[in-house]
Amino acid sequence: MNKEKIAHTMEFPPATEQPNVYPLSWHGQTKKLEDIWDASQREVWDPKKLPWDTFNVSKYTWEQREAIAYWWTLLSVFDASAPPVFASAFVKTYEAHEEDAVRRCFFSVTRDEQNHEQMCGMAITKFLEHPDPITYEPKTELGKRLQKNAKWLYFNGGRYWNGYKQAVPKYSLAVLFSSFLMGEIAAATIFHQMAAGCTEPVFKEAFRNIGKDEGRHMGICLALMERDYPKLAIEDRSIITKQIRAGYLFLSAVLFEPPMDFWDLPADFIDNQRAGEAVARSAGFAIPEYEAKKNNWRTAILNLKGALDKYNIPFPAIPEVGITGEEVSDIDMEDIIPVF
C-alpha cells in the first residue's frame, strides 16, 4: 500500500477506487423495498421468546429425539450458513452503492437468517441435550446412522462455502438476486407446510415466523428483479439459467432428496434419512412425504419460472420433477450461489 501523503499536492482527493463502500449515499427509488423494510421492522421475533414452556422433551423417545434433531441438523446445513452468506451479499450492496432501501433490506435478511440459525441450534440442543450434532454421542442405532448422514452433509456444505466466497465478487447483484430467489420461493413453501402440520406449539410458531420471513425475502428478490431485469445484460441470462439448475441440485437436499450424482454422499444416505423421517413423523413432526416434497418443489420451481419467463430468460430442464427446458450439465459444488 502506498502510504505517501498527497493532501498537500492537490485541492481535492482523487476518486476512490471501486468497488468500495465509499463514497456512501442514501438514494431511494424503489418504494416496494421501503415497504418491505418497514414490514421487517414490525415482524421481528426472538427464538428465545417462543413458548418453550410448553415443550416437554421427555415425552419423546431417544430415537424420536435423534430423528427430529436430525431434521433440524439437515436444515442447519442451509440455515446456519445463511447469515454469513447474506452478510457477504449485504457488504456487496454497499460496495455497489445500492440504494438505501436495498442495503437495509439485505441487513434485515441477514438478521432474520441469524434467527433461523438460532432456532436450529436451540431445537437440536434441547432434543440431544448437547449443543453440537457432530460431537454428540448417539444413543440409538438410528441415531448413529443419522449422525453419519449429518457429517457428510456438513462436508458437502463446506465445499459450497468455498465456492460461494469466490462467486460473490465475480457475479453482478442481478445474478445473485435470481439465485437467492430460488431458495426463498422454496423455503416459503416448506415452512408454511410445516407450520400447518406440526403438533408441537413451539415449532408451529417458529415455522410460522420463519415462513413469514422467507416470504418477505422473496418479495425483496422479486422487487429487485422488476427493477433490474428489463435491462439485464445478455451474458447474465445464461448464468442465471445455470444457477437455477444448480439451485435445484443444491436445495433438493433439504426440500426433496439429494441427487446422488451431484452430492458426495454414501450409498445408504437416503435410506437412513427416510428411516429418520418416518420416526419423526410418528412423533407428530410433520415432515412431508416423498410425493408431497416432489409436488412442493415442482410448484416452487414453476412459480420461479413464471417470474423469469417475462424477462426471456431460458429456464433449465428439471426432469426430476417433470419440467422441460434448456439442458444444463456439469454443475459443480463451486458453481452454487443459491441460499435457503
PDB file of all heavy atoms in Angstrom, residues 94-125:
ATOM      1  N   TYR A  94     -23.278  -2.516  -0.417  1.00  0.00           N
ATOM      2  CA  TYR A  94     -22.587  -1.267  -0.108  1.00  0.00           C
ATOM      3  C   TYR A  94     -21.506  -0.981  -1.148  1.00  0.00           C
ATOM      4  O   TYR A  94     -21.366   0.148  -1.619  1.00  0.00           O
ATOM      5  CB  TYR A  94     -21.959  -1.339   1.289  1.00  0.00           C
ATOM      6  CG  TYR A  94     -22.907  -0.937   2.390  1.00  0.00           C
ATOM      7  CD1 TYR A  94     -23.860  -1.826   2.871  1.00  0.00           C
ATOM      8  CD2 TYR A  94     -22.860   0.344   2.938  1.00  0.00           C
ATOM      9  CE1 TYR A  94     -24.737  -1.462   3.878  1.00  0.00           C
ATOM     10  CE2 TYR A  94     -23.730   0.724   3.945  1.00  0.00           C
ATOM     11  CZ  TYR A  94     -24.681  -0.182   4.411  1.00  0.00           C
ATOM     12  OH  TYR A  94     -25.557   0.194   5.401  1.00  0.00           O
ATOM     13  N   GLU A  95     -20.738  -2.002  -1.507  1.00  0.00           N
ATOM     14  CA  GLU A  95     -19.678  -1.803  -2.495  1.00  0.00           C
ATOM     15  C   GLU A  95     -20.243  -1.360  -3.846  1.00  0.00           C
ATOM     16  O   GLU A  95     -19.608  -0.588  -4.570  1.00  0.00           O
ATOM     17  CB  GLU A  95     -18.887  -3.101  -2.683  1.00  0.00           C
ATOM     18  CG  GLU A  95     -18.034  -3.477  -1.498  1.00  0.00           C
ATOM     19  CD  GLU A  95     -17.232  -4.735  -1.752  1.00  0.00           C
ATOM     20  OE1 GLU A  95     -17.662  -5.567  -2.576  1.00  0.00           O
ATOM     21  OE2 GLU A  95     -16.171  -4.882  -1.132  1.00  0.00           O
ATOM     22  N   ALA A  96     -21.454  -1.862  -4.160  1.00  0.00           N
ATOM     23  CA  ALA A  96     -22.094  -1.499  -5.430  1.00  0.00           C
ATOM     24  C   ALA A  96     -22.885  -0.193  -5.324  1.00  0.00           C
ATOM     25  O   ALA A  96     -23.517   0.220  -6.291  1.00  0.00           O
ATOM     26  CB  ALA A  96     -23.031  -2.630  -5.871  1.00  0.00           C
ATOM     27  N   HIS A  97     -22.855   0.450  -4.148  1.00  0.00           N
ATOM     28  CA  HIS A  97     -23.562   1.714  -3.909  1.00  0.00           C
ATOM     29  C   HIS A  97     -25.047   1.574  -4.234  1.00  0.00           C
ATOM     30  O   HIS A  97     -25.635   2.431  -4.909  1.00  0.00           O
ATOM     31  CB  HIS A  97     -22.930   2.863  -4.705  1.00  0.00           C
ATOM     32  CG  HIS A  97     -21.468   3.029  -4.405  1.00  0.00           C
ATOM     33  ND1 HIS A  97     -20.623   3.778  -5.180  1.00  0.00           N
ATOM     34  CD2 HIS A  97     -20.701   2.513  -3.409  1.00  0.00           C
ATOM     35  CE1 HIS A  97     -19.393   3.726  -4.683  1.00  0.00           C
ATOM     36  NE2 HIS A  97     -19.429   2.959  -3.608  1.00  0.00           N
ATOM     37  N   GLU A  98     -25.616   0.451  -3.790  1.00  0.00           N
ATOM     38  CA  GLU A  98     -27.045   0.232  -3.990  1.00  0.00           C
ATOM     39  C   GLU A  98     -27.860   1.285  -3.247  1.00  0.00           C
ATOM     40  O   GLU A  98     -27.372   1.914  -2.293  1.00  0.00           O
ATOM     41  CB  GLU A  98     -27.431  -1.163  -3.475  1.00  0.00           C
ATOM     42  CG  GLU A  98     -27.395  -2.237  -4.528  1.00  0.00           C
ATOM     43  CD  GLU A  98     -28.513  -2.087  -5.560  1.00  0.00           C
ATOM     44  OE1 GLU A  98     -29.386  -1.215  -5.395  1.00  0.00           O
ATOM     45  OE2 GLU A  98     -28.492  -2.844  -6.538  1.00  0.00           O
ATOM     46  N   GLU A  99     -29.110   1.438  -3.663  1.00  0.00           N
ATOM     47  CA  GLU A  99     -29.970   2.399  -2.986  1.00  0.00           C
ATOM     48  C   GLU A  99     -30.157   1.994  -1.524  1.00  0.00           C
ATOM     49  O   GLU A  99     -30.010   0.831  -1.142  1.00  0.00           O
ATOM     50  CB  GLU A  99     -31.306   2.549  -3.711  1.00  0.00           C
ATOM     51  CG  GLU A  99     -32.123   1.284  -3.837  1.00  0.00           C
ATOM     52  CD  GLU A  99     -33.438   1.547  -4.572  1.00  0.00           C
ATOM     53  OE1 GLU A  99     -34.298   2.242  -3.995  1.00  0.00           O
ATOM     54  OE2 GLU A  99     -33.595   1.059  -5.703  1.00  0.00           O
ATOM     55  N   ASP A 100     -30.472   2.974  -0.723  1.00  0.00           N
ATOM     56  CA  ASP A 100     -30.528   2.820   0.724  1.00  0.00           C
ATOM     57  C   ASP A 100     -31.424   1.659   1.162  1.00  0.00           C
ATOM     58  O   ASP A 100     -31.044   0.834   1.998  1.00  0.00           O
ATOM     59  CB  ASP A 100     -31.028   4.144   1.326  1.00  0.00           C
ATOM     60  CG  ASP A 100     -31.031   4.155   2.839  1.00  0.00           C
ATOM     61  OD1 ASP A 100     -30.202   3.446   3.436  1.00  0.00           O
ATOM     62  OD2 ASP A 100     -31.858   4.868   3.411  1.00  0.00           O
ATOM     63  N   ALA A 101     -32.620   1.559   0.582  1.00  0.00           N
ATOM     64  CA  ALA A 101     -33.567   0.524   0.999  1.00  0.00           C
ATOM     65  C   ALA A 101     -33.062  -0.876   0.681  1.00  0.00           C
ATOM     66  O   ALA A 101     -33.366  -1.832   1.402  1.00  0.00           O
ATOM     67  CB  ALA A 101     -34.930   0.760   0.359  1.00  0.00           C
ATOM     68  N   VAL A 102     -32.282  -1.030  -0.395  1.00  0.00           N
ATOM     69  CA  VAL A 102     -31.719  -2.336  -0.732  1.00  0.00           C
ATOM     70  C   VAL A 102     -30.754  -2.769   0.360  1.00  0.00           C
ATOM     71  O   VAL A 102     -30.779  -3.915   0.835  1.00  0.00           O
ATOM     72  CB  VAL A 102     -31.005  -2.303  -2.097  1.00  0.00           C
ATOM     73  CG1 VAL A 102     -30.271  -3.617  -2.355  1.00  0.00           C
ATOM     74  CG2 VAL A 102     -32.002  -2.039  -3.211  1.00  0.00           C
ATOM     75  N   ARG A 103     -29.901  -1.848   0.783  1.00  0.00           N
ATOM     76  CA  ARG A 103     -28.936  -2.183   1.838  1.00  0.00           C
ATOM     77  C   ARG A 103     -29.662  -2.574   3.118  1.00  0.00           C
ATOM     78  O   ARG A 103     -29.313  -3.567   3.763  1.00  0.00           O
ATOM     79  CB  ARG A 103     -27.995  -1.001   2.079  1.00  0.00           C
ATOM     80  CG  ARG A 103     -27.206  -0.573   0.844  1.00  0.00           C
ATOM     81  CD  ARG A 103     -26.055   0.352   1.197  1.00  0.00           C
ATOM     82  NE  ARG A 103     -26.456   1.556   1.896  1.00  0.00           N
ATOM     83  CZ  ARG A 103     -26.558   2.757   1.331  1.00  0.00           C
ATOM     84  NH1 ARG A 103     -26.343   2.897   0.032  1.00  0.00           N
ATOM     85  NH2 ARG A 103     -26.891   3.813   2.061  1.00  0.00           N
ATOM     86  N   ARG A 104     -30.665  -1.809   3.481  1.00  0.00           N
ATOM     87  CA  ARG A 104     -31.397  -2.129   4.709  1.00  0.00           C
ATOM     88  C   ARG A 104     -32.150  -3.452   4.589  1.00  0.00           C
ATOM     89  O   ARG A 104     -32.225  -4.227   5.543  1.00  0.00           O
ATOM     90  CB  ARG A 104     -32.349  -0.990   5.062  1.00  0.00           C
ATOM     91  CG  ARG A 104     -31.630   0.177   5.727  1.00  0.00           C
ATOM     92  CD  ARG A 104     -32.574   1.281   6.134  1.00  0.00           C
ATOM     93  NE  ARG A 104     -32.933   2.127   5.016  1.00  0.00           N
ATOM     94  CZ  ARG A 104     -34.163   2.321   4.566  1.00  0.00           C
ATOM     95  NH1 ARG A 104     -35.188   1.699   5.127  1.00  0.00           N
ATOM     96  NH2 ARG A 104     -34.393   3.135   3.553  1.00  0.00           N
ATOM     97  N   CYS A 105     -32.711  -3.723   3.419  1.00  0.00           N
ATOM     98  CA  CYS A 105     -33.416  -5.000   3.229  1.00  0.00           C
ATOM     99  C   CYS A 105     -32.457  -6.180   3.370  1.00  0.00           C
ATOM    100  O   CYS A 105     -32.797  -7.195   3.983  1.00  0.00           O
ATOM    101  CB  CYS A 105     -34.101  -5.031   1.865  1.00  0.00           C
ATOM    102  SG  CYS A 105     -35.686  -4.150   1.815  1.00  0.00           S
ATOM    103  N   PHE A 106     -31.252  -6.055   2.825  1.00  0.00           N
ATOM    104  CA  PHE A 106     -30.301  -7.155   2.970  1.00  0.00           C
ATOM    105  C   PHE A 106     -29.785  -7.274   4.397  1.00  0.00           C
ATOM    106  O   PHE A 106     -29.460  -8.380   4.854  1.00  0.00           O
ATOM    107  CB  PHE A 106     -29.164  -7.016   1.959  1.00  0.00           C
ATOM    108  CG  PHE A 106     -29.457  -7.749   0.686  1.00  0.00           C
ATOM    109  CD1 PHE A 106     -30.341  -7.235  -0.244  1.00  0.00           C
ATOM    110  CD2 PHE A 106     -28.889  -8.984   0.431  1.00  0.00           C
ATOM    111  CE1 PHE A 106     -30.650  -7.923  -1.400  1.00  0.00           C
ATOM    112  CE2 PHE A 106     -29.191  -9.684  -0.727  1.00  0.00           C
ATOM    113  CZ  PHE A 106     -30.084  -9.153  -1.642  1.00  0.00           C
ATOM    114  N   PHE A 107     -29.749  -6.162   5.112  1.00  0.00           N
ATOM    115  CA  PHE A 107     -29.463  -6.259   6.550  1.00  0.00           C
ATOM    116  C   PHE A 107     -30.566  -7.043   7.250  1.00  0.00           C
ATOM    117  O   PHE A 107     -30.293  -7.900   8.098  1.00  0.00           O
ATOM    118  CB  PHE A 107     -29.343  -4.865   7.161  1.00  0.00           C
ATOM    119  CG  PHE A 107     -29.380  -4.883   8.666  1.00  0.00           C
ATOM    120  CD1 PHE A 107     -28.267  -5.293   9.385  1.00  0.00           C
ATOM    121  CD2 PHE A 107     -30.526  -4.518   9.358  1.00  0.00           C
ATOM    122  CE1 PHE A 107     -28.303  -5.336  10.769  1.00  0.00           C
ATOM    123  CE2 PHE A 107     -30.576  -4.563  10.743  1.00  0.00           C
ATOM    124  CZ  PHE A 107     -29.450  -4.969  11.451  1.00  0.00           C
ATOM    125  N   SER A 108     -31.816  -6.781   6.884  1.00  0.00           N
ATOM    126  CA  SER A 108     -32.931  -7.479   7.537  1.00  0.00           C
ATOM    127  C   SER A 108     -32.895  -8.973   7.248  1.00  0.00           C
ATOM    128  O   SER A 108     -33.221  -9.789   8.125  1.00  0.00           O
ATOM    129  CB  SER A 108     -34.282  -6.878   7.100  1.00  0.00           C
ATOM    130  OG  SER A 108     -34.641  -7.278   5.788  1.00  0.00           O
ATOM    131  N   VAL A 109     -32.487  -9.347   6.032  1.00  0.00           N
ATOM    132  CA  VAL A 109     -32.387 -10.771   5.703  1.00  0.00           C
ATOM    133  C   VAL A 109     -31.299 -11.427   6.550  1.00  0.00           C
ATOM    134  O   VAL A 109     -31.490 -12.528   7.095  1.00  0.00           O
ATOM    135  CB  VAL A 109     -32.092 -10.972   4.204  1.00  0.00           C
ATOM    136  CG1 VAL A 109     -31.876 -12.448   3.899  1.00  0.00           C
ATOM    137  CG2 VAL A 109     -33.226 -10.427   3.349  1.00  0.00           C
ATOM    138  N   THR A 110     -30.163 -10.761   6.681  1.00  0.00           N
ATOM    139  CA  THR A 110     -29.074 -11.300   7.498  1.00  0.00           C
ATOM    140  C   THR A 110     -29.540 -11.496   8.934  1.00  0.00           C
ATOM    141  O   THR A 110     -29.266 -12.524   9.566  1.00  0.00           O
ATOM    142  CB  THR A 110     -27.859 -10.362   7.452  1.00  0.00           C
ATOM    143  OG1 THR A 110     -27.522 -10.089   6.083  1.00  0.00           O
ATOM    144  CG2 THR A 110     -26.663 -10.962   8.144  1.00  0.00           C
ATOM    145  N   ARG A 111     -30.260 -10.508   9.462  1.00  0.00           N
ATOM    146  CA  ARG A 111     -30.790 -10.609  10.839  1.00  0.00           C
ATOM    147  C   ARG A 111     -31.799 -11.750  10.952  1.00  0.00           C
ATOM    148  O   ARG A 111     -31.756 -12.534  11.900  1.00  0.00           O
ATOM    149  CB  ARG A 111     -31.469  -9.286  11.202  1.00  0.00           C
ATOM    150  CG  ARG A 111     -32.119  -9.262  12.588  1.00  0.00           C
ATOM    151  CD  ARG A 111     -32.926  -7.992  12.761  1.00  0.00           C
ATOM    152  NE  ARG A 111     -33.992  -7.910  11.760  1.00  0.00           N
ATOM    153  CZ  ARG A 111     -34.627  -6.780  11.446  1.00  0.00           C
ATOM    154  NH1 ARG A 111     -34.294  -5.649  12.029  1.00  0.00           N
ATOM    155  NH2 ARG A 111     -35.587  -6.794  10.541  1.00  0.00           N
ATOM    156  N   ASP A 112     -32.705 -11.865   9.980  1.00  0.00           N
ATOM    157  CA  ASP A 112     -33.692 -12.951  10.008  1.00  0.00           C
ATOM    158  C   ASP A 112     -33.011 -14.314   9.990  1.00  0.00           C
ATOM    159  O   ASP A 112     -33.397 -15.231  10.729  1.00  0.00           O
ATOM    160  CB  ASP A 112     -34.635 -12.852   8.801  1.00  0.00           C
ATOM    161  CG  ASP A 112     -35.551 -11.647   8.844  1.00  0.00           C
ATOM    162  OD1 ASP A 112     -35.733 -11.064   9.934  1.00  0.00           O
ATOM    163  OD2 ASP A 112     -36.072 -11.282   7.769  1.00  0.00           O
ATOM    164  N   GLU A 113     -32.022 -14.457   9.120  1.00  0.00           N
ATOM    165  CA  GLU A 113     -31.358 -15.744   8.993  1.00  0.00           C
ATOM    166  C   GLU A 113     -30.582 -16.096  10.257  1.00  0.00           C
ATOM    167  O   GLU A 113     -30.412 -17.271  10.593  1.00  0.00           O
ATOM    168  CB  GLU A 113     -30.435 -15.757   7.771  1.00  0.00           C
ATOM    169  CG  GLU A 113     -31.153 -15.590   6.430  1.00  0.00           C
ATOM    170  CD  GLU A 113     -32.100 -16.740   6.102  1.00  0.00           C
ATOM    171  OE1 GLU A 113     -32.051 -17.782   6.785  1.00  0.00           O
ATOM    172  OE2 GLU A 113     -32.889 -16.593   5.151  1.00  0.00           O
ATOM    173  N   GLN A 114     -30.124 -15.081  10.972  1.00  0.00           N
ATOM    174  CA  GLN A 114     -29.496 -15.356  12.268  1.00  0.00           C
ATOM    175  C   GLN A 114     -30.521 -15.970  13.221  1.00  0.00           C
ATOM    176  O   GLN A 114     -30.216 -16.912  13.966  1.00  0.00           O
ATOM    177  CB  GLN A 114     -28.936 -14.061  12.857  1.00  0.00           C
ATOM    178  CG  GLN A 114     -28.280 -14.222  14.222  1.00  0.00           C
ATOM    179  CD  GLN A 114     -27.027 -15.059  14.153  1.00  0.00           C
ATOM    180  OE1 GLN A 114     -26.202 -14.878  13.264  1.00  0.00           O
ATOM    181  NE2 GLN A 114     -26.850 -15.989  15.076  1.00  0.00           N
ATOM    182  N   ASN A 115     -31.765 -15.482  13.196  1.00  0.00           N
ATOM    183  CA  ASN A 115     -32.827 -16.086  13.999  1.00  0.00           C
ATOM    184  C   ASN A 115     -33.063 -17.541  13.603  1.00  0.00           C
ATOM    185  O   ASN A 115     -33.250 -18.412  14.459  1.00  0.00           O
ATOM    186  CB  ASN A 115     -34.135 -15.303  13.819  1.00  0.00           C
ATOM    187  CG  ASN A 115     -34.252 -14.137  14.773  1.00  0.00           C
ATOM    188  OD1 ASN A 115     -33.459 -14.001  15.697  1.00  0.00           O
ATOM    189  ND2 ASN A 115     -35.242 -13.293  14.555  1.00  0.00           N
ATOM    190  N   HIS A 116     -33.072 -17.799  12.302  1.00  0.00           N
ATOM    191  CA  HIS A 116     -33.332 -19.156  11.833  1.00  0.00           C
ATOM    192  C   HIS A 116     -32.203 -20.090  12.275  1.00  0.00           C
ATOM    193  O   HIS A 116     -32.452 -21.237  12.660  1.00  0.00           O
ATOM    194  CB  HIS A 116     -33.459 -19.176  10.306  1.00  0.00           C
ATOM    195  CG  HIS A 116     -34.507 -18.245   9.782  1.00  0.00           C
ATOM    196  ND1 HIS A 116     -34.697 -18.026   8.434  1.00  0.00           N
ATOM    197  CD2 HIS A 116     -35.438 -17.479  10.422  1.00  0.00           C
ATOM    198  CE1 HIS A 116     -35.686 -17.156   8.274  1.00  0.00           C
ATOM    199  NE2 HIS A 116     -36.142 -16.811   9.466  1.00  0.00           N
ATOM    200  N   GLU A 117     -30.966 -19.590  12.224  1.00  0.00           N
ATOM    201  CA  GLU A 117     -29.846 -20.399  12.709  1.00  0.00           C
ATOM    202  C   GLU A 117     -30.003 -20.693  14.193  1.00  0.00           C
ATOM    203  O   GLU A 117     -29.805 -21.833  14.643  1.00  0.00           O
ATOM    204  CB  GLU A 117     -28.527 -19.662  12.470  1.00  0.00           C
ATOM    205  CG  GLU A 117     -27.322 -20.440  12.986  1.00  0.00           C
ATOM    206  CD  GLU A 117     -26.155 -19.566  13.377  1.00  0.00           C
ATOM    207  OE1 GLU A 117     -26.051 -18.434  12.876  1.00  0.00           O
ATOM    208  OE2 GLU A 117     -25.342 -20.037  14.191  1.00  0.00           O
ATOM    209  N   GLN A 118     -30.360 -19.671  14.967  1.00  0.00           N
ATOM    210  CA  GLN A 118     -30.532 -19.874  16.407  1.00  0.00           C
ATOM    211  C   GLN A 118     -31.643 -20.882  16.694  1.00  0.00           C
ATOM    212  O   GLN A 118     -31.545 -21.691  17.622  1.00  0.00           O
ATOM    213  CB  GLN A 118     -30.841 -18.540  17.087  1.00  0.00           C
ATOM    214  CG  GLN A 118     -29.681 -17.580  17.117  1.00  0.00           C
ATOM    215  CD  GLN A 118     -28.477 -18.163  17.843  1.00  0.00           C
ATOM    216  OE1 GLN A 118     -28.593 -18.642  18.960  1.00  0.00           O
ATOM    217  NE2 GLN A 118     -27.321 -18.128  17.196  1.00  0.00           N
ATOM    218  N   MET A 119     -32.692 -20.840  15.886  1.00  0.00           N
ATOM    219  CA  MET A 119     -33.795 -21.785  16.074  1.00  0.00           C
ATOM    220  C   MET A 119     -33.308 -23.211  15.859  1.00  0.00           C
ATOM    221  O   MET A 119     -33.656 -24.129  16.628  1.00  0.00           O
ATOM    222  CB  MET A 119     -34.933 -21.438  15.106  1.00  0.00           C
ATOM    223  CG  MET A 119     -36.190 -22.257  15.314  1.00  0.00           C
ATOM    224  SD  MET A 119     -36.898 -22.001  16.950  1.00  0.00           S
ATOM    225  CE  MET A 119     -37.596 -23.622  17.246  1.00  0.00           C
ATOM    226  N   CYS A 120     -32.504 -23.423  14.826  1.00  0.00           N
ATOM    227  CA  CYS A 120     -31.934 -24.760  14.598  1.00  0.00           C
ATOM    228  C   CYS A 120     -31.120 -25.196  15.812  1.00  0.00           C
ATOM    229  O   CYS A 120     -31.262 -26.326  16.305  1.00  0.00           O
ATOM    230  CB  CYS A 120     -31.035 -24.748  13.361  1.00  0.00           C
ATOM    231  SG  CYS A 120     -31.895 -24.563  11.777  1.00  0.00           S
ATOM    232  N   GLY A 121     -30.256 -24.317  16.295  1.00  0.00           N
ATOM    233  CA  GLY A 121     -29.390 -24.661  17.411  1.00  0.00           C
ATOM    234  C   GLY A 121     -30.157 -24.961  18.684  1.00  0.00           C
ATOM    235  O   GLY A 121     -29.828 -25.906  19.423  1.00  0.00           O
ATOM    236  N   MET A 122     -31.197 -24.177  18.960  1.00  0.00           N
ATOM    237  CA  MET A 122     -31.984 -24.394  20.180  1.00  0.00           C
ATOM    238  C   MET A 122     -32.736 -25.717  20.116  1.00  0.00           C
ATOM    239  O   MET A 122     -32.787 -26.467  21.103  1.00  0.00           O
ATOM    240  CB  MET A 122     -32.955 -23.232  20.390  1.00  0.00           C
ATOM    241  CG  MET A 122     -32.261 -21.919  20.726  1.00  0.00           C
ATOM    242  SD  MET A 122     -33.397 -20.513  20.832  1.00  0.00           S
ATOM    243  CE  MET A 122     -34.149 -20.858  22.433  1.00  0.00           C
ATOM    244  N   ALA A 123     -33.319 -26.020  18.952  1.00  0.00           N
ATOM    245  CA  ALA A 123     -34.061 -27.277  18.824  1.00  0.00           C
ATOM    246  C   ALA A 123     -33.123 -28.475  18.961  1.00  0.00           C
ATOM    247  O   ALA A 123     -33.425 -29.439  19.688  1.00  0.00           O
ATOM    248  CB  ALA A 123     -34.782 -27.320  17.472  1.00  0.00           C
ATOM    249  N   ILE A 124     -31.986 -28.435  18.286  1.00  0.00           N
ATOM    250  CA  ILE A 124     -31.025 -29.535  18.356  1.00  0.00           C
ATOM    251  C   ILE A 124     -30.535 -29.733  19.790  1.00  0.00           C
ATOM    252  O   ILE A 124     -30.485 -30.863  20.301  1.00  0.00           O
ATOM    253  CB  ILE A 124     -29.838 -29.264  17.407  1.00  0.00           C
ATOM    254  CG1 ILE A 124     -30.290 -29.360  15.944  1.00  0.00           C
ATOM    255  CG2 ILE A 124     -28.683 -30.237  17.674  1.00  0.00           C
ATOM    256  CD1 ILE A 124     -29.300 -28.786  14.956  1.00  0.00           C
ATOM    257  N   THR A 125     -30.182 -28.634  20.446  1.00  0.00           N
ATOM    258  CA  THR A 125     -29.644 -28.711  21.809  1.00  0.00           C
ATOM    259  C   THR A 125     -30.661 -29.277  22.790  1.00  0.00           C
ATOM    260  O   THR A 125     -30.331 -30.084  23.665  1.00  0.00           O
ATOM    261  CB  THR A 125     -29.169 -27.327  22.269  1.00  0.00           C
ATOM    262  OG1 THR A 125     -28.168 -26.853  21.357  1.00  0.00           O
ATOM    263  CG2 THR A 125     -28.593 -27.372  23.671  1.00  0.00           C
TER     264      THR A 125
END
